[in-house]
Amino acid sequence: VATYLAEQWKTSLLVVAIAQGTSMNSSVLDYPRAYIELHEIHAEFILTEGLIGVLNKIIEEKAINLLLMGGYSISIVEEVLNSGSVNIMLREMQCPIFICR
């Protein structure tokens, strides 16, 4: 969806992968990088560790005006009871969020 929107709006992308408590191999960005490059979209890729606050800092530093994220990876009931990432993002982020399921 992000690639399509970038093509239509003639804009670039910032792809962020955040590891929370576990180490993440940089290969996690290989597929999105190849897909975005196939569509000839300019994109920056960031692989970092931390919590949601890290994303807030990146959004502020890079002047991001729209955040696109995946939807619920667990049941909605579990997400609500355990304050999952989607609910945290909706509470904490100051920019618009486009949630893809």
Side-chain angles (χ1 to χ4, degrees), residues 14 44 46 53-64:
L14 173 64
E44 181 180 350
I46 297 176
V54 171
L55 186 57
N56 269 330
K57 183 178 177 185
I58 293 169
I59 288 171
E60 186 176 309
E61 288 175 358
K62 302 286 185 178
I64 303 300

Side-chain angles (χ1 to χ4, degrees), residues 48-94:
T48 187
E49 292 182 13
L51 300 172
I52 300 300
V54 171
L55 186 57
N56 269 330
K57 183 178 177 185
I58 293 169
I59 288 171
E60 186 176 309
E61 288 175 358
K62 302 286 185 178
I64 303 300
N65 55 16
L66 177 64
L67 177 68
L68 190 139
M69 67 178 287
Y72 297 99
S73 59
I74 56 178
S75 78
I76 294 174
V77 173
E78 288 177 295
E79 180 80 19
V80 171
L81 293 176
N82 297 326
S83 288
S85 59
V86 173
N87 290 329
I88 292 169
M89 298 289 284
L90 290 171
R91 280 195 308 267
E92 302 291 326
M93 294 298 122
Q94 299 300 314

